[in-house]
Amino acid sequence: MPNVVGCTMLSRAMFRCGQMCSRVFAVEFDLRTEPLYFTLSAKPHILHHDYQRFFGDGKIFSLYIDSDNRIQKAQTHAEIKTKLSKKIARDCDVLETCSFIPDVKNSVVKGFCIRDKSTPGISEEILKTFRQNESVCVFSYKRDGQYCWQELWSPVNQTEKAERQYVTPASTPLYHPSTLDIRSSDVFYSRDEAYMVLQECSDIVPESKAVLQLVDEQVESCGGVGFPVIVIEGLDASGKTTLTEALRESLNATLLKSPPQCLAPFRQRFDSEPPVIRRAFYALGNYITAAQMGKESLKAPVIVDRYWHSTAAYAIATAVSGRLENLPRPDSELYQWPEDLLRPNLVLLLNVNPEERMRRLRDRGQDKTIEENELEVNQLFRLKVEEAYKRIQNPSCLSVDASPSPQEVLQQVLRLIRNKCHL
């Protein structure tokens, strides 16, 4: 991440210099509402309503992970998140927070906010272990009546009085902060961008080398296709597997999947990695599938079970915290198809009501990814995934009601394919 002039609150050395910070801080204290936005200033500012409520109880700390090495930053964030979830007592709130420059891409620095209401407080002992990492900066918040300020936190008494940076309410930014870094850490819009991430993490994730070798062996530049390529998209248990198998037989087509089978031995390993590494892995899977599509379409129609729409929709929905309204706007460049990725002729999005989908999931009883588990318990996440699917452009998805019987869905889809692809 490029250095930002004047951003003192994320560096211990610069903080001590007493420079002002142009950044905005955001705390997700209630996913149903806007985050709590504030800046820092040298002069006290009276706080009202939500700010008084948030800063009013117990000890409050925040920590931010900042590093020029995006792999190190992502891993540190994941490690701290895991440790906080295991070590913090029930009467401590751990909330997602970040610092950013409004409307500036790649300016987000992620972290956590801890509200410790326990007696005695237990969070400080845990925070001591985090301060040993040079990329982690920890702050404490203190109140004096209607004022609140942020200080660089130290587990011992400081010999010098820390400079106070007063919490000052900030207006809601034009774009939700979590959208500012999607392009660099969650969705990849070229093969080279995803390839570079796995190169950077090859020392800590040895499997990356094998994946990159597969990419080098299988991915070739491919122009137009011969027979039509039809992609079937949808949430887990929407009927994709049943439909794609039926289409393969009905159209005498080749059936492909994304991620491709050659990456199956590595999926469990990469699913356990931070988002930037996991997303890069799945992005490269799309490019391998694209190479297979180009070859197979010269011989017969090609049916593909998931493709770039899934990769992007799940990544965007996961990266964007909070409400549905926090998603990138419908006309955002984040929904545009990668220029170097082969485009299918038709993309069909299977839709099924939540109750029916849950019934199918229970009947299947198969192992699911973290995100597929999240779909079952988090209605908001499901809605964000579905909306992201609908907003992806060039090509966009054509919606199909997948609630009827498999045979009825098949006939409906065959009519669409014959109409759109002239098969």
Side-chain angles (χ1 to χ4, degrees):
M1 189 188 76
N3 292 327
V4 182
V5 177
C7 181
T8 64
M9 300 310 295
L10 303 175
S11 163
R12 293 189 178 96
M14 294 179 70
F15 178 85
R16 292 184 182 120
C17 290
Q19 299 175 14
M20 295 302 294
C21 182
S22 61
R23 286 186 164 251
V24 174
F25 295 80
V27 181
E28 297 276 4
F29 75 102
D30 186 346
L31 295 181
R32 296 167 298 180
T33 64
E34 285 284 349
L36 197 70
Y37 293 106
F38 63 91
T39 57
L40 298 167
S41 62
K43 296 182 179 180
H45 195 287
I46 295 177
L47 301 179
H48 299 287
H49 308 303
D50 290 340
Y51 296 90
Q52 286 278 10
R53 179 162 60 94
F54 180 79
F55 291 106
D57 272 339
K59 296 182 178 180
I60 300 180
F61 304 91
S62 65
L63 57 90
Y64 298 90
I65 302 97
D66 193 22
S67 171
D68 291 332
N69 185 322
R70 60 178 169 178
I71 303 301
Q72 180 190 50
K73 183 165 62 174
Q75 287 205 313
T76 300
H77 184 274
E79 290 168 1
I80 289 178
K81 185 174 184 177
T82 299
K83 191 168 185 178
L84 287 175
S85 65
K86 291 181 178 179
K87 300 292 186 181
I88 292 291
R90 292 181 180 179
D91 42 5
C92 287
D93 299 324
V94 178
L95 309 169
E96 298 280 349
T97 185
C98 71
S99 167
F100 65 100
I101 300 178
D103 307 333
V104 176
K105 296 177 182 178
N106 302 329
S107 66
V108 177
V109 178
K110 295 181 179 180
F112 302 94
C113 184
I114 303 170
R115 292 196 298 182
D116 187 354
K117 302 176 184 179
S118 61
T119 305
I122 57 94
S123 56
E124 294 192 36
E125 287 302 315
I126 298 173
L127 292 176
K128 287 180 183 179
T129 64
F130 297 148
R131 290 185 79 255
Q132 298 171 6
N133 189 321
E134 293 183 356
S135 65
V136 178
C137 198
V138 183
F139 299 99
S140 62
Y141 296 84
K142 298 179 181 178
R143 283 192 61 192
D144 182 6
Q146 294 177 302
Y147 306 120
C148 177
W149 64 90
Q150 181 194 71
E151 293 178 349
L152 187 66
W153 179 76
S154 173
V156 296
N157 294 328
Q158 297 178 349
T159 56
E160 297 181 7
K161 185 177 180 180
E163 181 179 356
R164 292 183 178 182
Q165 297 285 343
Y166 287 92
V167 173
T168 304
S171 58
T172 302
L174 182 61
Y175 302 104
H176 190 271
S178 57
T179 67
L180 299 176
D181 278 8
I182 285 178
R183 195 175 184 97
S184 63
S185 60
D186 296 285
V187 183
F188 297 91
Y189 296 86
S190 75
R191 186 183 71 188
D192 289 345
E193 290 176 1
Y195 195 98
M196 190 179 301
V197 171
L198 263 63
Q199 282 183 317
E200 292 174 8
C201 71
S202 58
D203 290 340
I204 55 178
V205 186
E207 291 84 353
S208 297
K209 298 176 182 178
V211 172
L212 293 177
Q213 184 175 349
L214 284 171
V215 174
D216 292 337
E217 293 172 352
Q218 300 202 33
V219 174
E220 301 173 358
S221 60
C222 49
V225 296
F227 287 88
V229 174
I230 298 101
V231 173
I232 307 299
E233 291 283 4
L235 301 182
D236 200 46
S238 59
K240 294 186 304 301
T241 301
T242 300
L243 177 60
T244 53
E245 289 287 352
L247 287 173
R248 179 181 61 81
E249 295 182 6
S250 299
L251 300 175
N252 194 24
T254 300
L255 176 58
L256 300 175
K257 295 185 178 184
S258 187
Q261 185 59 34
C262 64
L263 293 185
F266 307 103
R267 287 189 65 176
Q268 185 175 5
R269 178 68 171 89
F270 282 91
D271 279 344
S272 66
E273 292 299 321
V276 64
I277 299 175
R278 184 169 71 249
R279 301 303 181 194
F281 168 77
Y282 282 105
L284 291 175
N286 286 325
Y287 284 93
I288 293 176
T289 298
Q292 296 172 349
M293 289 160 51
K295 295 173 184 176
E296 295 300 329
S297 67
L298 298 176
K299 301 178 268 186
V302 176
I303 307 298
V304 187
D305 185 343
R306 286 188 168 174
Y307 193 33
W308 192 80
H309 284 76
S310 283
T311 307
Y314 276 85
I316 291 171
T318 303
V320 176
S321 57
R323 308 176 304 158
L324 184 66
E325 292 81 2
N326 293 345
L327 286 173
R329 295 182 176 185
D331 59 352
S332 170
E333 63 177 5
L334 297 173
Y335 298 117
Q336 293 298 314
W337 192 268
E339 293 185 2
D340 64 346
L341 184 62
L342 188 148
R343 285 177 169 83
N345 300 86
L346 181 64
V347 183
L348 301 177
L349 176 62
L350 303 186
N351 293 305
V352 64
N353 65 68
E355 294 76 16
E356 173 63 15
R357 198 180 67 83
M358 290 292 288
R359 184 192 67 78
R360 295 178 183 181
L361 282 170
R362 287 193 296 268
D363 291 346
R364 280 168 44 171
Q366 297 176 351
D367 291 337
K368 297 178 284 294
T369 65
I370 295 173
E371 288 161 348
E372 288 164 348
N373 280 318
E374 185 73 8
L375 284 174
E376 295 184 43
V377 299
N378 190 334
Q379 181 183 13
L380 179 57
F381 178 65
R382 176 178 59 79
L383 291 173
K384 288 193 289 187
V385 173
E386 291 175 336
E387 186 60 31
Y389 264 124
K390 297 173 185 177
R391 295 184 183 184
I392 295 173
Q393 300 295 318
N394 300 319
S396 57
C397 294
L398 188 61
S399 182
V400 173
D401 181 9
S403 299
S405 68
Q407 188 59 33
E408 290 177 287
V409 175
L410 172 62
Q411 294 306 315
Q412 180 187 177
V413 168
L414 285 173
R415 286 193 293 270
L416 287 170
I417 292 174
R418 288 169 184 143
N419 181 45
K420 302 290 184 179
C421 302
H422 309 292
L423 278 179

